[in-house]
Amino acid sequence: MANLVPFWLLVSAILAPFVGANWNILRQKMNNNLDHVVADDALKIYCESWRVNVEVNNVRGFEVVPQECINHIKKYMTSSQYIADSERAIEEVQLYLTTCCSLQGDGTDAWIFDVDDTLLSNIPFYKKHDFGGEKLNETAIEEWMKSSKAPALEHTLKLFNLIRDKGIKIFLISSRRENLRSSTVDNLIQVGYHGWSALTLRGLEDEGKEVQKYKIEARQRLVNEGYHIWGIVGDQWSSFEGLPTPNRRFKLPNSMYYVA
């Protein structure tokens, strides 16, 4: 047995460079082609992990999508998977509505929707701005909003109509500025939204407030007026966090930007 030690030491010395480099026979045969495949797979895994951690609110406060992940986010936000994820979230709302609510029927039952990327889709705008890979230009996004060309998210439109038809009052709370009211209303009506009870936009008194604080105050006003908020649908965590809370919160997927 002692005579074998030098042999294994010799073998170890020969293999060491390959083991240290995660050696395998395919890499030796395919060289650069395999390296690219491995690198692409590793990047895909990283970017998907980044996206998921945005959704669960672990990754916060980012100004732009990481440059190496722009293409990944683009593929997701324009994919059937994004649509399926959104539709599944809406299905959960519908399921909740079948058992959740002892509706008062006295006009105090309320539901809150965000607007951007919840009722209306800004994907046409972000297609021209690297799907969040560019730092947001407020002038550019407001020009887009003024055009009233945002399409409806069809799955949310169906839910909106379902909730309205149940006799629940719908309140829209958006971080858009007050000067966008007419274009926002026009856009909503053009794509099929009708019958909401109020649209809250940011006034001069809200300038400088974090979106989360502004939305907390808007919810508190509803509670003070006697409304019971059965649920909120939005695409950003700032639509949900803080008191008062609804019975349930439902987040739609969106990893193109972060609103604090």
Side-chain angles (χ1 to χ4, degrees):
M1 186 67 68
N3 291 334
L4 292 177
V5 172
F7 171 76
W8 288 112
L9 286 174
L10 178 61
V11 171
S12 297
I14 294 171
L15 291 179
F18 301 108
V19 172
N22 294 318
W23 179 87
N24 63 55
I25 193 167
L26 287 176
R27 178 171 283 113
Q28 298 310 301
K29 290 183 176 181
M30 299 174 69
N31 294 327
N32 290 338
N33 288 338
L34 182 61
D35 287 341
H36 286 309
V37 170
V38 171
D40 288 346
D41 285 347
L43 181 59
K44 181 179 179 180
I45 290 169
Y46 165 75
C47 291
E48 180 61 9
S49 176
W50 182 86
R51 185 189 71 78
V52 169
N53 275 278
V54 168
E55 295 299 342
V56 298
N57 208 27
N58 289 332
V59 176
R60 304 182 182 188
F62 63 91
E63 292 188 337
V64 294
V65 171
Q67 290 297 304
E68 63 270 28
C69 295
I70 291 172
N71 196 48
H72 181 82
I73 298 303
K74 172 185 176 180
K75 287 180 179 179
Y76 173 73
M77 294 300 299
T78 56
S79 71
S80 58
Q81 186 63 57
Y82 165 71
I83 295 172
D85 292 346
S86 300
E87 290 177 343
R88 182 55 191 272
I90 297 304
E91 287 171 4
E92 289 300 316
V93 182
Q94 293 170 333
L95 179 62
Y96 165 71
L97 285 167
T98 63
T99 58
C100 73
C101 312
S102 302
L103 299 179
Q104 300 302 308
D106 59 358
T108 63
D109 301 303
W111 195 281
I112 295 172
F113 282 93
D114 184 23
V115 173
D116 288 298
D117 296 303
T118 298
L119 299 180
L120 301 175
S121 174
N122 289 318
I123 287 179
F125 171 83
Y126 282 100
K127 279 182 178 179
K128 299 179 180 179
H129 296 274
D130 273 347
F131 286 85
E134 294 179 10
K135 189 173 180 178
L136 184 63
N137 182 303
E138 289 190 9
T139 301
I141 188 69
E142 287 201 352
E143 284 302 312
W144 156 251
M145 292 172 178
K146 287 176 182 177
S147 74
S148 300
K149 293 181 179 178
L153 278 78
E154 292 298 330
H155 42 274
T156 318
L157 176 56
K158 292 176 184 177
L159 176 66
F160 178 100
N161 290 333
L162 173 66
I163 292 173
R164 184 199 60 202
D165 292 346
K166 281 182 173 289
I168 301 173
K169 288 189 174 182
I170 294 176
F171 294 89
L172 312 183
I173 302 178
S174 172
S175 58
R176 292 187 178 199
R177 294 179 181 177
E178 184 62 41
N179 67 307
L180 293 168
R181 179 171 294 276
S182 61
S183 54
T184 300
V185 170
D186 288 346
N187 199 161
L188 288 166
I189 291 173
Q190 286 168 12
V191 298
Y193 292 102
H194 306 276
W196 63 83
S197 294
L199 168 63
T200 301
L201 302 177
R202 291 169 67 104
L204 292 176
E205 68 279 10
D206 301 310
E207 292 293 333
K209 286 181 186 175
E210 289 187 348
V211 172
Q212 181 180 327
K213 177 175 172 53
Y214 153 72
K215 292 194 172 184
I216 286 172
E217 292 175 355
R219 292 199 301 274
Q220 187 62 60
R221 287 193 294 271
L222 290 178
V223 171
N224 292 346
E225 291 170 12
Y227 289 102
H228 182 94
I229 303 172
W230 290 104
I232 298 177
V233 177
D235 69 295
Q236 298 289 316
W237 285 97
S238 54
S239 292
F240 311 121
E241 293 183 320
L243 299 173
T245 58
N247 280 43
R248 281 289 303 270
R249 305 175 295 180
F250 297 90
K251 185 184 183 302
L252 297 178
N254 179 9
S255 42
M256 296 184 295
Y257 55 83
Y258 181 89
V259 178

